[in-house]
Amino acid sequence: MSYGVSMALQTALYQHLVADVALNGLIGTSVFDEVPSGIAPSTYVTLGPEVAIDRSDKTGHGAEHRFVISIITEVAGFGAAKAVAVAVSDALHNQNLTLSRGHLVSMQFDRANAIREDAANLRRIDMRFRARIDDN
């Protein structure tokens, strides 16, 4: 197994989401690697946790990266968050991102979890994706 493509995947995800026209129309360039400090935008996207699983075989090294993209909003109701989640899903599902290292074999939406964080008066959707990458 190689974890060597993790940074290449993260960079490609970030660049792809920031450049996506539909997503940009909803939140501008409010895509972050971590929750922004200070006053956060009313709706934004963060790149979240990742788990990498060895998928090497006799033809070469590879891994499946399961990662989370979170949509966070202070807008009442889930409508705004779901609109952004749809744009994220459309931007990533079955896309063929170019990586600076390795080759993206597949990118699939896996699941989503929508929750209300009452204490902070926020809505949050955590979307999990699977990316299969060969590192040959």
Side-chain angles (χ1 to χ4, degrees):
M1 178 183 147
S2 174
Y3 192 64
V5 298
S6 181
M7 191 63 203
L9 175 62
Q10 181 175 333
T11 300
L13 288 169
Y14 176 80
Q15 290 172 344
H16 189 74
L17 290 173
V18 168
D20 185 77
V21 173
L23 184 59
N24 195 281
L26 294 169
I27 63 167
T29 58
S30 295
V31 177
F32 304 103
D33 187 24
E34 64 180 78
V35 178
S37 61
I39 298 174
S42 62
T43 303
Y44 59 94
V45 170
T46 62
L47 305 179
E50 170 193 36
V51 173
I53 301 164
D54 184 23
R55 293 292 185 245
S56 299
D57 58 25
K58 62 184 175 182
T59 63
H61 298 288
E64 178 180 288
H65 293 257
R66 297 177 184 174
F67 61 91
V68 175
I69 304 288
S70 296
I71 295 87
I72 301 165
T73 186
E74 60 187 29
V75 176
F78 277 100
K82 287 183 178 182
V84 174
V86 168
V88 169
S89 181
D90 289 347
L92 296 181
H93 182 72
N94 281 332
Q95 294 300 311
N96 188 14
L97 306 181
T98 301
L99 306 177
S100 61
R101 176 176 172 174
H103 168 73
L104 181 63
V105 176
S106 69
M107 172 88 70
Q108 302 292 318
F109 169 76
D110 183 42
R111 67 183 74 163
N113 185 34
I115 61 171
R116 180 179 290 115
E117 295 179 358
D118 289 326
N121 196 28
L122 296 174
R123 307 297 184 269
R124 177 186 187 109
I125 299 176
D126 292 323
M127 304 177 71
R128 191 168 93 176
F129 292 84
R130 292 184 319 238
R132 172 65 171 88
I133 302 172
D134 285 341
D135 188 21
N136 294 326

